[in-house]
Amino acid sequence: MNRPKTLSVLALGGLLLLVSGVAYAGDISGKISIRRAKDLSNCVVYIEHVDGDFKPPEKPEVMDQLNLTFVPHVMPVLKGTTVSFLNSDDVLHNVFSPDKCANKFNLGTWPKGEMRSYEFDEEGCVPVLLCNVHPEMEAYVFVTQNPYYASTGKEGLYEIKNVPAGKYNLIAWNEDYDIVEQEVVVPEEGTVKADFQFGKRKKR
Ligand SMILES: [Cu+2]
């Protein structure tokens, strides 16, 4: 009559194995606000440092050039990510960056339907991207150390999913304002809320 007992011991062992194999992770979510601003898109919220080596995606991310605008205007990427710049307009576009941390790259000029690529390797680099055909065109790539980042939509909302539980420095970035930061404790499950308010304009 000890069969059920054996079974339950096995079941318990299996359960323990299952539980120990689970990485505890939670989500971070919140809202950005900027006084008097109506469009709160293109802010980046990211964790300053997370232990570990993170592999960039194998496929390039695509930044479009459409209606004489870079889309998206701000693109956060993990260090080592290749970004392909697609021309979707009937006119020629160029992409270059005057910033040293992006080796002042200049990809030349290309027509509709074609793409040229650049690999962003330097963590913490936030190069401005410009087009020498259209001086009004401007975008940013934001190079992160880890994959735990998000950009805001128009309402200023963001969500970073599946972050390993722990205490981190969470930073919010906007091209026009000084960064704001706060400490967050990501729970083993569930969500921690973190709102940000931008105050001081960046000195140019
Ligand atoms: Cu252009």
Side-chain angles (χ1 to χ4, degrees):
M1 285 303 275
N2 63 7
R3 202 156 160 239
K5 203 174 174 185
T6 314
L7 265 180
S8 65
V9 166
L10 276 174
L12 185 67
L15 190 69
L16 281 175
L17 262 176
L18 239 162
V19 169
S20 62
V22 170
Y24 293 105
D27 302 335
I28 309 171
S29 74
K31 191 177 180 344
I32 296 289
S33 45
I34 302 172
R35 272 180 69 194
R36 287 191 291 271
K38 289 203 175 113
D39 183 352
L40 298 163
S41 56
N42 291 308
C43 303
V44 176
V45 181
Y46 67 102
I47 297 179
E48 186 173 28
H49 180 87
V50 178
D51 285 339
D53 268 329
F54 303 101
K55 261 201 166 164
E58 278 171 30
K59 274 177 127 185
E61 301 281 350
V62 176
M63 183 179 278
D64 204 355
Q65 291 169 291
L66 179 65
N67 299 325
L68 307 189
T69 310
F70 285 106
V71 183
H73 177 63
V74 176
M75 180 183 267
V77 299
L78 177 60
K79 174 180 67 173
T81 297
T82 296
V83 177
S84 293
F85 298 93
L86 171 67
N87 181 348
S88 292
D89 283 334
D90 288 324
V91 295
L92 293 172
H93 284 303
N94 155 266
V95 180
F96 78 99
S97 176
D99 288 318
K100 253 194 211 159
C101 66
N103 297 312
K104 301 186 178 181
F105 75 81
N106 187 332
L107 300 177
T109 305
W110 60 99
K112 187 175 191 170
E114 290 184 17
M115 282 196 286
R116 297 207 185 161
S117 303
Y118 184 81
E119 189 183 303
F120 292 88
D121 284 326
E122 196 157 326
E123 174 187 329
C125 179
V126 189
V128 63
L129 308 180
L130 302 167
C131 167
N132 63 19
V133 186
H134 306 102
E136 71 278 19
M137 289 179 69
E138 189 185 271
Y140 295 89
V141 166
F142 192 105
V143 188
T144 65
Q145 176 263 338
N146 62 74
Y148 303 105
Y149 56 76
S151 328
T152 53
K154 211 173 169 190
E155 310 297 319
L157 298 171
Y158 77 91
E159 187 170 37
I160 306 172
K161 291 224 163 239
N162 239 333
V163 181
K167 199 200 273 182
Y168 301 105
N169 192 32
L170 188 68
I171 302 179
W173 175 93
N174 176 284
E175 65 186 278
D176 294 321
Y177 293 87
D178 283 349
I179 57 160
V180 276
E181 50 196 317
Q182 62 178 286
E183 195 180 275
V184 288
V185 177
V186 176
E188 294 184 346
E189 60 173 316
T191 304
V192 59
K193 291 266 174 200
D195 294 341
F196 290 92
Q197 165 111 40
F198 285 108
K200 262 190 168 169
R201 280 200 165 257
K202 255 178 213 166
K203 287 189 194 107
R204 293 266 179 183

